[in-house]
Amino acid sequence: MHEHLRGIGAVARESGLPVSALRFYDAVGVLRPAWSDPVTGYRWYSGDQVGQAALVARLRQVEMPLADIAEVLASRHRSAEALTVLDRHLRELESRFAAARKHLSDAREFLADPPATRLEVSAADLAQALAAVRYAVGSDPAWPALTGVLLDCSDGVLRLVACDRARLAVASVPVRHLGGLPVQVVVPLAFLASLLDRDGDGDGGGGGDSSESDAGGEEPLLSVELRVDRVVIGDAEGALVAAEPVAAEYPDYQALLQATWVRQVRIPTSDLVSRVVDGPPGSIEGRPAVTRRPDFVAVLLGDHGVDVVQPSVPGAVAFDRAYLLEALAAAGGDDVVLALDAARQVLGVARPARPEDRSLLMPVRLRP
């Protein structure tokens, strides 16, 4: 019975269609073997089917859809009908090739002249956002991206981000007249600071919302143009200041912001600052006082408040004292919200009115 039939391995070698593909086309009914052993399931093909398999192999190379392959096989003895299917697929390939050429041409233009994202922001808003994050800008030359401020324009908001690997600060700025694609660029801190200092807003605090107008009733606006190779900021008088972005990739700060906050406590800012400055009580449960360390502070977040305690207190987490005070100063406002991440014990510091603007502090690992 098998004298004039070929096994699946031989058909694969002669046709160029892999064994796995022959099994697939059998399963979907496109190319069924002449006979399958009912006991072993082994497939046997006729000589004519070897030619069909070779035809299928060529049609696969040009990514012809399965339905069209089946149509070609069914009409292979009616060449006019089969050629109609081939011509239809050729026109589809030519259309896709033309679209691919257009996309590659656009990509070339993008690389040669990166598109600009343009927007306007309040000068006061930008100054306040910078004041809220600049304390967390890094200075380690081994991490050049962290020595600048990330400008992330997406979702209709301009975010300023600073990180020195021990802390992260994010502040958002409302935008107007936004046009262009989402973009991220890292600009030198000195560029932003000098620009805002020139306009007299560089010393603004992180607290409060900028809703006041200048003496003329008009809120000073800055025009901003963000490109991957250049940042240009101009004022109402038309003066332009440009800077070259830092040529380094910024870490995924959004991933760092994703946390499971197990405790969130609102507390008056001045009260917490006093506790952090004064430090914990000198003794606990009758034990001798622990020598006060000026460099860190242990914080215990409870259901109804925040306590500065000895580091030996169960549940307390230690943080750099100076970093925490800077984060509180940058947050500003009458109240502040502290939150603790369950997994990493990262401390979040935010203003109640702007929970999306947050500072993160990494814990201090104390040696026993």
Side-chain angles (χ1 to χ4, degrees):
M1 176 180 218
H2 299 162
E3 295 178 0
H4 303 293
L5 299 179
R6 292 173 174 80
I8 192 171
V11 175
R13 289 191 296 272
E14 294 179 40
S15 67
L17 198 62
V19 169
S20 59
L22 286 166
R23 290 171 178 159
F24 169 75
Y25 289 115
D26 176 19
V28 297
V30 172
L31 182 57
R32 294 194 180 280
W35 183 74
S36 295
D37 191 310
V39 177
T40 64
Y42 198 80
R43 297 168 176 84
W44 297 89
Y45 295 83
S46 66
D48 179 61
Q49 288 181 312
V50 176
Q52 295 179 49
L55 177 58
V56 171
R58 285 154 178 78
L59 297 178
R60 288 180 79 228
Q61 292 297 318
V62 295
E63 300 180 355
M64 179 173 282
L66 183 62
D68 289 352
I69 291 177
E71 188 175 351
V72 170
L73 288 182
S75 60
R76 66 186 183 279
H77 298 306
R78 301 184 299 277
S79 60
E81 294 181 25
L83 291 175
T84 297
V85 180
L86 298 185
D87 290 342
R88 184 176 67 211
H89 186 62
L90 178 60
R91 289 192 297 271
E92 172 64 22
L93 292 177
E94 290 173 341
S95 175
R96 288 162 54 186
F97 181 69
R101 288 179 62 93
K102 177 63 168 60
H103 292 321
L104 289 174
S105 177
D106 292 344
R108 288 178 179 274
E109 294 181 7
F110 188 98
L111 293 173
D113 186 20
T117 297
R118 296 180 175 86
L119 55 119
E120 288 184 348
V121 296
S122 159
D125 285 345
L126 186 60
Q128 289 180 0
L130 179 60
V133 304
R134 66 187 302 171
Y135 79 94
V137 175
S139 58
D140 187 350
W143 297 82
L146 301 185
T147 63
V149 176
L150 174 67
L151 302 183
D152 177 10
C153 185
S154 58
D155 303 322
V157 176
L158 178 65
R159 296 178 182 86
L160 277 64
V161 185
C163 178
D164 63 1
R165 301 176 66 206
R167 48 195 173 166
L168 169 75
V170 180
S172 57
V173 180
V175 303
R176 310 178 189 185
H177 309 300
L178 174 62
L181 299 172
V183 64
Q184 289 188 351
V185 292
V186 183
V187 297
L189 172 61
F191 166 68
L192 286 178
S194 63
L195 173 70
L196 296 172
D197 288 343
R198 184 193 66 178
D199 291 337
D201 292 316
D203 294 328
D209 293 318
S210 172
S211 58
E212 297 181 359
S213 302
D214 62 10
E218 295 291 334
E219 184 179 8
L221 295 178
L222 300 177
S223 63
V224 181
E225 179 181 294
L226 302 177
R227 297 161 49 117
V228 295
D229 62 344
R230 186 174 72 248
V231 175
V232 181
I233 299 181
D235 58 23
E237 284 70 35
L240 299 178
V241 182
E244 181 178 343
V246 178
E249 185 175 357
Y250 209 83
D252 182 6
Y253 77 94
Q254 293 284 8
L256 298 175
L257 290 174
Q258 295 177 359
T260 303
W261 304 112
V262 291
R263 299 187 187 95
Q264 297 194 55
V265 180
R266 179 169 177 169
I267 185 174
T269 305
S270 58
D271 184 14
L272 182 56
V273 169
S274 298
R275 297 186 194 184
V276 173
V277 171
D278 295 341
S283 62
I284 183 171
E285 296 180 356
R287 285 178 282 178
V290 177
T291 302
R292 182 178 184 273
R293 289 277 300 275
D295 53 343
F296 73 84
V297 59
V299 176
L300 179 65
L301 271 66
D303 294 333
H304 304 289
V306 180
D307 292 317
V308 174
V309 298
Q310 300 289 355
S312 59
V313 172
V317 183
F319 299 95
D320 185 287
R321 185 187 303 272
Y323 287 178
L324 179 53
L325 289 173
E326 287 182 322
L328 294 173
D334 295 331
D335 290 350
V336 67
V337 175
L338 297 189
L340 192 65
D341 174 43
R344 299 170 296 174
Q345 293 189 313
V346 172
L347 184 68
V349 180
R351 288 169 49 210
R354 301 288 291 273
E356 70 279 5
D357 294 350
R358 186 183 296 270
S359 293
L360 302 184
L361 276 67
M362 296 298 294
V364 175
R365 306 300 181 187
L366 301 179
R367 296 178 179 177

